[in-house]
Amino acid sequence: MTALRTATTHRPTARPDVATAAHGARWITASVVVVGVVNYGYALLLTRLLDVGSYAVFAAGAGLLLSAVTVARVTIPWVLAQALARAGSDAERSDATRFAIITSTGAGFVAAGIVAGVAIGFAGPATTLALALTTFCCYVTSVPVGRLQGEERMRTLSLLGVAEVVLKTMIGVALVLVLGLSDTGALAAFGVALLPFLLWWPALRRGAGRAWQSASANRDLWRRAFGIARVQGLVALMVAIDVVLVTVLPADRAAAASYQSSVTLSRVPLFVASAVSIAFFPALSRRLVDSSLSASAVRMYVIASLPLAVTVATAPAAVLTTIFPAGYSMMSALIAFTAITGFALGTINLIVTFFQAADDYACARHQVVGLVGYTLSLLAGWQIGGVRGMAIGGAVGGVGALALLVHRLVRSRGTAPLSRMPLLEPLLLAGVLVLLHPYPLAWLIAATVIGLRTVERFLRRTNAHGPAEEPPVELTTHQSGTAMIHASAEHSKVRTSGTEVRPGRLLVDAVWRESPRPAGDAALRRALPLARDNQVEGRLARAYPRQLADVVAEVETANELFRENLGEVTDRLRAAGIPTVLIKRGRENGHACGDFDLVVPDGRWQAACDVLQGWYVARSTYWLERSTKVLLEPRRGPSVHLHTGVSWFGVPVMSTRRLFDRACPDGGAWLAPHPADELRIWLAHGLFQNLSLDLSELVALRDLLLPDLVEDARREAAREGWLTGCARALVVADEAIRELDRGTPIRLPVPLPATASLRVGAEHALHLLRNGRTTVAAREAALRVPLVVAKSRGRFA
C-alpha cells in the first residue's frame, strides 16, 4: 500500500494547476525533441532508399501534408481541449466532443479533396490516394489529441507522439524496402502510424440526432474554433513567411540555404513555447485570467529558451563551419539575428495562448499589425542588404511585433504575468558566452555546461503547492460574445487558510464513511466529476442535498425511469416464459445509469429480442460482442443490455446455467445472482474489462467480502478457470476497503495491475482450451494484450 499511497499523492488530478502543467510541458518538450530527431533521420534515410525522382515526390507530398493539416492541429484539438477543461457537466463534454467529431470529419473530407487535387499534379494515382487518406486520418485523429490535451494527459499525448513517429519510420522503411512501394509507401506510413490514436477515441453517451444537431449548431464552439484558427493561423504565417520569401526572392542559393539552416537552429524557442502552451492551455482556459499560471508559463519558457537562444546567437564561426558544410559559410553572419527572431516568435506564440485561453481573439488585430510590420521589415532588409539585411529586418520586425502584444498584455492584465521572469542568470550566461565568442573551444565547453544547466532547471520539479497560486477564475456564461467570469469566494477562503479539501477526500468522507464534512459549492463541483467517474454522484448529492439539488433530481429521475424500464422489460420476458438475471446491481441507487444488464438462459437470446420488439426503438451491437450482447434503446430512460451470459468481449467467464440455478427472486420479475456469483461478477468486471474497481464497486464488494462468500467465490472461480486472477482482485479490493475505512487517501478508481489481467487472460484461455473451447480460447488469447493496452492507457496520463 505504500506504493499505492505514493502514486496517489502525485497523481496529476491532485496537483495544483501549475505543477500539473509544468509536468506536462516537460513531457511535451521531450516528445518534440525526439519527434524532430526521428523525423530528420527518416527523411535522411529515405534519401538513400529512394531515387532522386521518388524522393522529390516524397518531399513535395510531405510538405503538402504539413500545410494541409496545420489548420486541423491548431484548431480542433485546442477547441476541444478548452471545452473539456471548462465543462461542468457530462452534457457539455459530450457536446464539445460531438462538435470536434463533426468538424474534424467534415474538414477532413474537404482537406483530403484539396490535397488530392494538388497532388495529382506531381504524383501518380496511388500516391495521390495515399496523401488524401493520410490527410483525412490527420483530421480525424485530432479529436483524441484534443481529448488528451483537455484532460491534461500530457504524458500519454507525448508518448503517443513518439510512438507515432517511430511507427511511421518502421512502416515506411518496410513499405519501401520489402514491398517496393517507393514514395507511395513512404507517404502512406504517415497515415498508418496515426491509427493508434483511435484507441483514445472519446466514448460518447448514446444520443439522438438532436444531440448531434445541437453540437453542430453550437455558436459558442464555432466562435472559439474560428477565433483560435485565426489567432494560430497568424502565428503560423509569421513563422513561415521569412522562409518562403528567402526561397522565392532572387537570392544566391548558398546564401538562401544558410538563412534556412540558421532559421532551423534558431526556432528552438518556438518549439519550447509550443510545448508550454499545449500543457498550460487547459488550466489557463479553466482559470482564464489567472496571473499565477501565466507567470509560471512565462518563467518555464524563459528558463528553457533564453539560454538556448543566446547559445545559438553567440555560436563562433569555427563551430558552425565544423557542423555545416562549406556552402553554409554565411551562417555566422546571420545566426545572431535569426536567434533574436526565433526567441521573439516563441514569445509571441506563448502570449497569444494567454489571450485565446480567455477567449480574447481581438488580439488578432495586433497580430495583423505585427505581421505586416514584420513582413515589411523583411522586405526592407532585403532591399538594403540582401539575405543578411533580411535577417536583420526579421529581428527588428519580430521584436516590434512582440512589443505590440506585450503592450496589449500589460494593458489588459498588468505586469503580473511577466513578474517572475528569471532574467539575471540568463543575462550573466549571455555575457559569458559573448566574452568567449572569440575562443571556440572555451565557448563550446561553456555552451555545454550552460545547456546542461538549462535542462536541469527546466526539468526541476515544481513546488508541490505551486507558486502562490491565485484562486481560479472560471467561465460561467457568455453575454454578447464576451466571457463573464467570477472567482469563487469560498475557494479563496480555503486557499488562504491552507485547508482546502481535496475532491477525493471529500468524496470518501461523504460516500464511503457517510460523514460529510462542510464544503463550499466550488469544492463540491470539483468533486462531482470524480464522483461521476466512480458512479456515486447520487450518493454525494444526497450528502449535500441543498448544494447539489440538481444532481439529486437528476439521479432520482434516472432511478425512476430505471425501475420503470426494468419492470416493463422483465414483465414482458417473464410473460413469454423467459426468466432473467439482473447483474451488476446496486449502482442505480447512486448513479444516473444509462443502461442495465440482464442475462437470459442459454438459447433464449434471440427469442428475448423478438419479445421486446415494439418496446425499443433502436438496436445496436458492438462488433466484438455481436453474438453475446445487444443494446436495446427505448424512447426514454435507460437502455437494456441483453446478454447470453456473463462474458466480456465475447469470451464467457461464468456458466449461464449455473448462474440461473443459483439465482434467487429479487422482489420483481427478475432474479438476483447468488451473493458469491455477484461477488465474482464484480471482480471479473474489473479484471476482464475495466482494469480497475471504482468506488461504487467497492461499496458493493464491502457487503460481499464475508468468509463464507469469499470461499464459495474462490471455489467457483477455480471451476471457471480464473482462480489466480480472482484471488489477486480480492487482495486489491480488501486492501482498498481497509484503507478507505482508515480514512487513508487512495487512488480512485482503484487500479488493478495490468499483469493480473494478462495473467488471468492466459489462465482462462488455457482453461477454455483444455475444455475443448478452442475458438473462444483463441479469441481470449488474441484480444487480451490489445485490450489491456487500450483499457490501461488512462493510467499513464
Side-chain angles (χ1 to χ4, degrees), residues 455-675:
V455 171
E456 185 272 331
R457 291 191 73 194
F458 186 74
L459 296 179
R460 184 184 301 165
R461 186 176 294 278
T462 304
N463 185 288
H465 299 289
E469 291 187 52
E470 298 178 358
V473 182
E474 300 172 349
L475 185 69
T476 59
T477 186
H478 287 280
Q479 185 175 6
S480 302
T482 303
M484 304 299 292
I485 57 178
H486 77 282
S488 169
E490 290 171 313
H491 179 78
S492 179
K493 293 176 184 176
V494 169
R495 284 282 188 186
T496 304
S497 63
T499 59
E500 180 183 8
V501 182
R502 291 183 176 178
R505 168 70 73 180
L506 192 152
L507 185 64
V508 169
D509 287 346
V511 174
W512 185 266
R513 308 182 75 187
E514 297 183 349
S515 57
R517 62 177 66 200
D521 292 345
L524 287 173
R525 292 298 168 181
R526 285 195 300 276
L528 190 56
L530 182 61
R532 293 189 189 278
D533 289 343
N534 283 272
Q535 306 196 66
V536 291
E537 69 271 23
R539 294 175 183 267
L540 177 66
R542 292 188 188 103
Y544 301 92
R546 182 182 60 82
Q547 293 160 286
L548 296 177
D550 57 327
V551 182
V552 172
E554 173 192 354
V555 173
E556 289 180 350
T557 300
N559 289 341
E560 183 179 346
L561 289 171
F562 162 78
R563 289 188 290 269
E564 178 183 325
N565 287 5
L566 174 63
E568 187 171 350
V569 167
T570 53
D571 282 343
R572 285 186 178 217
L573 292 174
R574 187 171 64 175
I578 303 175
T580 55
V581 175
L582 175 65
I583 61 173
K584 294 189 288 185
R585 303 175 308 141
R587 280 179 172 164
E588 64 273 10
N589 293 321
H591 176 54
C593 53
D595 53 62
F596 55 95
D597 298 83
L598 291 174
V599 178
V600 297
D602 291 330
R604 308 298 304 275
W605 185 57
Q606 188 55 55
C609 294
D610 294 340
V611 168
L612 294 177
Q613 283 187 1
W615 176 82
Y616 65 87
V617 295
R619 169 177 173 160
S620 60
T621 57
Y622 179 49
W623 67 278
L624 284 175
E625 302 172 309
R626 58 184 179 275
S627 61
T628 60
K629 183 172 75 172
V630 63
L631 179 69
L632 306 177
E633 301 178 60
R635 296 186 182 278
R636 62 193 295 265
S639 309
V640 57
H641 269 129
L642 213 57
H643 299 258
T644 61
V646 179
S647 63
W648 281 275
F649 305 109
V651 178
V653 176
M654 298 171 59
S655 165
T656 302
R657 177 179 296 178
R658 190 161 178 79
L659 175 70
F660 274 88
D661 289 344
R662 288 158 55 94
C664 55
D666 194 32
W670 62 91
L671 301 173
H674 184 279

Side-chain angles (χ1 to χ4, degrees), residues 121-193:
F122 62 83
T127 303
T128 300
L129 179 61
L131 284 169
L133 291 177
T134 298
T135 302
F136 182 75
C137 287
C138 287
Y139 274 79
V140 171
T141 53
S142 64
V143 176
V145 170
R147 174 201 171 186
L148 292 173
Q149 185 183 357
E151 294 174 355
E152 296 179 273
R153 297 163 63 179
M154 301 304 166
R155 181 171 13 175
T156 300
L157 185 58
S158 61
L159 292 176
L160 266 177
V162 172
E164 176 204 342
V165 73
V166 171
L167 189 62
K168 175 187 69 181
T169 302
M170 296 170 60
I171 294 173
V173 171
L175 292 177
V176 172
L177 279 181
V178 179
L179 299 182
L181 294 181
S182 190
D183 53 89
T184 302
L187 290 169
F190 283 81
V192 177

Side-chain angles (χ1 to χ4, degrees), residues 349-361:
N349 189 17
L350 184 61
I351 291 176
V352 162
T353 300
F354 300 157
F355 289 125
Q356 69 186 40
D359 297 338
D360 183 2
Y361 307 119

Side-chain angles (χ1 to χ4, degrees), residues 713-767:
R714 292 171 65 91
R715 283 196 303 268
E716 292 296 318
R719 183 200 304 268
E720 294 155 356
W722 58 289
L723 174 60
T724 303
C726 178
R728 180 60 180 145
L730 280 169
V731 170
V732 173
D734 185 60
E735 289 181 350
I737 289 171
R738 290 175 186 272
E739 295 298 315
L740 288 168
D741 287 341
R742 284 196 290 263
T744 305
I746 67 171
R747 179 176 181 175
L748 291 173
V750 176
L752 290 169
T755 53
S757 183
L758 291 171
R759 183 170 179 177
V760 76
E763 177 188 21
H764 190 235
L766 184 60
H767 168 79

Side-chain angles (χ1 to χ4, degrees), residues 64-79:
L64 182 59
L65 279 177
L66 179 62
S67 301
V69 303
T70 296
V71 175
R73 291 303 191 192
V74 301
T75 305
I76 297 168
W78 287 67
V79 173

